[in-house]
Amino acid sequence: MDEPKATRQEPKWWSRPRWAPPGRAEPAAESARATAAGVAGPAQDASSPPDGPEETAAAASVPSARPEPLHGVDPYSTPPYGGPGPWAPAPPVQRPAATPPHGVTLPSGTTTPPYGVPVDGSGGGAGGSGGFEDGFDGGRTDAPGPDPLQDGTTVHQPALPLQQAPQRPRRASRLVVGGLVLALVAGGAGGLIGAYIERNGTVSDVELPQTAAGPAGEGGERPEGSTAGIARRTLPGVVTLHAAGGGAEATGTGFVLDKRGHILTNNHVVESAEGSGAVRVTFNGGQTATGEVIGSDGGYDLAVVKVSHVSGLTPLPLGNSDAVRVGDPVIAFGAPFDLEGTVTTGIVSAKERPITAGGGEPGSELSYVDALQTDAPINPGNSGGPLVDGRGRVIGVNSAIKGGGGDPGMPDAEAGGGSVGLGFAIPVNQARRVAEELINEGRATHPVIGVYLDTEYEGEGARIGGAGGNGAAVVRGGPAHKAGLKEGDVITKVGDKLVTSGEELIVRIRSHRPGDALELTVRRGGADGTQRTVSVTLGSATG
């Protein structure tokens, strides 16, 4: 870009040099000379003669004096209102030097001095450039010189030194902005984490605690006396039975008696089976086989089913039901509602509980059982399953339950009931004897005393004979006849156990074997009659 040049302007009356006494230069001329001197060179003395023709012409163009104006002298040479002011030289043009990249060290002596200060630091002088182009002298002189505005001389403005702008505190501002951003991010993250913890309680995935697995948890055996240990040994000998016939199908349970394939169950489970192969046997391992009923007895509610050509059978050990005590722990096995392999636990709630079951269906026989009572859950489908003691020995055969509001007996429960904690099992001592007879003879024998009982009698005990009484109530030559019992006698005790009804008398007698001797307490002569004790040897009857 070109440097600006001074433009010549015709002097006006108010800008003409005023008269001055000899020896004193006009103020405007002095300032013009000083400026011109700064451009052209060192100041010259006003009294010194001009050195060349140009200076002579410049000096001649300036009048030495002029008449005083009519008004007073304005010491500030202020122009009239609205008029142009005195001309002043334009500011020097700055020529910035190339700025080296950030981090590059400048060589010594290359630093640009402040404005008006010479490069050599001498403060200006005659012939010195003072660090500015075109010979501009940074020094000042009061000597008059030619007016560059009037002689047409081009004024060369000094180049201003390049001054570095003050650096903004960028690092501090960046730190402030970064801190604000970090605070916002941390606050948002903290809010999210706090909400998550409040909802879930932790910032990590939920891992539920678990105890370390011991040998049993790793697949080892449980102690033999524990429920799990007994179940492990007993289940292989428990089977599920499905008997079909007459358009009906019954489901129950049984257990293996020996390795020859004999299985003991309840009579009411297989009562509907007709023909060979009508009973399907399912073992605990899932194997199935067909079974055949080889013997049954409705009075004891027991039956034996045999399977053939089956190996690997696991017979269950039989215990002694007479040694059982009330409160002993027991475990019941079965398939309630066809859920095979079910195991429940409880205790022996009572012993020698006289119950009757069955007889509700046409042709079915009433069963008399001197049962073990248990609170182990027994449901439809458990019938015929084993009831074992704390050593895994069979002490009873699950047979009946007390339904809600009904008489004891599985059929009543099958009508829509379930376990209410009153289950009954045939003592294993009785079941063992009956099973042996069914296997060996195909039929079972019942102990009898040779009398008929009055079923309409409502008093305490069991009365012999019918309502009208006849001699046929006592079987001639039977155990009761031999003991001297007569029609109308009331039996009140069997041994030391009270008898409250005829059914209970039958139950007490059937809990023994044929040939056993019993002590009966008999009352003769009505309610106020005398009582006596007689000994009776039990006889035997079949069917």
Side-chain angles (χ1 to χ4, degrees):
M1 185 173 181
D2 295 335
E3 297 179 0
K5 297 181 179 180
T7 304
R8 183 178 182 82
Q9 188 175 359
E10 293 297 331
K12 304 294 182 179
W13 67 267
W14 55 77
S15 62
R16 293 174 183 171
R18 66 169 182 236
W19 179 88
R24 185 173 65 88
E26 298 182 33
E30 291 179 3
S31 62
R33 289 191 197 92
T35 305
V39 175
Q44 296 183 359
D45 192 338
S47 61
S48 62
D51 293 336
E54 296 180 357
E55 294 183 3
T56 304
S61 63
V62 179
S64 59
R66 66 179 177 83
E68 290 286 337
L70 298 179
H71 53 75
V73 178
D74 183 6
Y76 299 100
S77 299
T78 304
Y81 179 77
W87 295 94
V93 177
Q94 301 184 23
R95 298 181 179 276
T99 303
H102 179 69
V104 177
T105 306
L106 295 175
S108 176
T110 60
T111 304
T112 304
Y115 176 73
V117 178
V119 175
D120 56 0
S122 62
S129 63
F132 302 98
E133 60 183 11
D134 297 332
F136 181 83
D137 189 1
R140 181 173 180 176
T141 178
D142 294 334
D147 188 355
L149 302 178
Q150 299 179 6
D151 59 5
T153 304
T154 301
V155 179
H156 296 278
Q157 300 297 336
L160 295 178
L162 180 64
Q163 297 183 4
Q164 187 176 4
Q167 295 292 333
R168 296 180 179 180
R170 295 182 179 179
R171 183 177 181 84
S173 62
R174 290 176 181 176
L175 291 176
V176 173
V177 173
L180 293 177
V181 172
L182 181 60
L184 291 175
V185 172
L192 293 176
I193 294 174
Y196 186 88
I197 292 177
E198 182 180 1
R199 184 173 63 254
N200 300 298
T202 178
V203 296
S204 61
D205 293 337
V206 176
E207 294 184 2
L208 301 178
Q210 186 178 22
T211 58
E218 298 171 357
E221 296 182 358
R222 297 293 197 273
E224 292 189 359
S226 65
T227 301
I230 295 172
R232 178 183 58 82
R233 298 194 311 270
T234 304
L235 282 173
V238 180
V239 300
T240 302
L241 304 174
H242 295 85
E249 182 176 353
T251 301
T253 309
F255 60 95
V256 179
L257 293 174
D258 54 31
K259 290 185 176 294
R260 291 184 289 180
H262 294 111
I263 297 171
L264 183 62
T265 186
N266 282 137
N267 177 68
H268 71 261
V269 172
V270 296
E271 190 175 14
S272 61
E274 296 179 356
S276 62
V279 180
R280 186 174 76 253
V281 181
T282 303
F283 293 89
N284 184 66
Q287 304 91 338
T288 60
T290 57
E292 179 184 2
V293 180
I294 63 173
S296 63
D297 188 280
Y300 289 113
D301 194 20
L302 292 172
V304 175
V305 177
K306 184 177 182 181
V307 294
S308 302
H309 311 293
V310 178
S311 60
L313 298 177
T314 305
L316 300 185
L318 304 181
N320 182 5
S321 56
D322 291 340
V324 174
R325 296 293 180 268
V326 174
D328 286 350
V330 291
I331 305 173
F333 295 83
F337 301 102
D338 208 13
L339 300 174
E340 59 186 35
T342 299
V343 180
T344 58
T345 62
I347 63 170
V348 175
S349 304
K351 293 179 58 177
E352 300 177 348
R353 184 75 73 189
I355 65 169
T356 57
E361 298 295 332
S364 64
E365 185 178 355
L366 191 64
S367 301
Y368 301 92
V369 180
D370 194 25
L372 297 174
Q373 180 181 321
T374 179
D375 65 348
I378 297 175
N379 291 283
N382 277 99
S383 296
L387 182 71
V388 304
D389 62 8
R391 297 184 180 180
R393 301 171 300 186
V394 179
I395 59 172
V397 181
N398 302 324
S399 298
I401 63 173
K402 177 68 174 179
D407 293 332
M410 193 64 71
D412 194 35
E414 289 177 349
S419 174
V420 293
L422 294 175
F424 304 97
I426 301 172
V428 73
N429 291 1
Q430 181 177 348
R432 176 174 174 269
R433 179 185 68 83
V434 174
E436 289 176 348
E437 292 181 350
L438 294 176
I439 293 173
N440 298 325
E441 306 294 337
R443 61 182 182 175
T445 60
H446 302 166
V448 295
I449 60 173
V451 297
Y452 291 95
L453 298 178
D454 184 2
T455 58
E456 296 180 0
Y457 179 70
E458 296 180 356
E460 289 293 329
R463 189 172 69 176
I464 301 174
N470 56 64
V474 178
V475 177
R476 187 175 294 275
H481 184 266
K482 294 177 180 180
L485 297 181
K486 296 180 180 181
E487 180 183 358
D489 289 345
V490 178
I491 302 174
T492 59
K493 285 185 179 180
V494 176
D496 57 352
K497 295 180 175 61
L498 292 175
V499 175
T500 59
S501 64
E503 293 178 350
E504 186 171 354
L505 176 62
I506 297 173
V507 170
R508 301 301 184 192
I509 291 174
R510 287 196 177 183
S511 64
H512 297 272
R513 291 173 176 267
D516 289 349
L518 294 181
E519 296 291 333
L520 301 179
T521 300
V522 180
R523 184 180 69 241
R524 180 174 293 173
D528 297 331
T530 60
Q531 293 188 358
R532 63 191 183 96
T533 301
V534 298
S535 179
V536 177
T537 300
L538 298 179
S540 177
T542 58

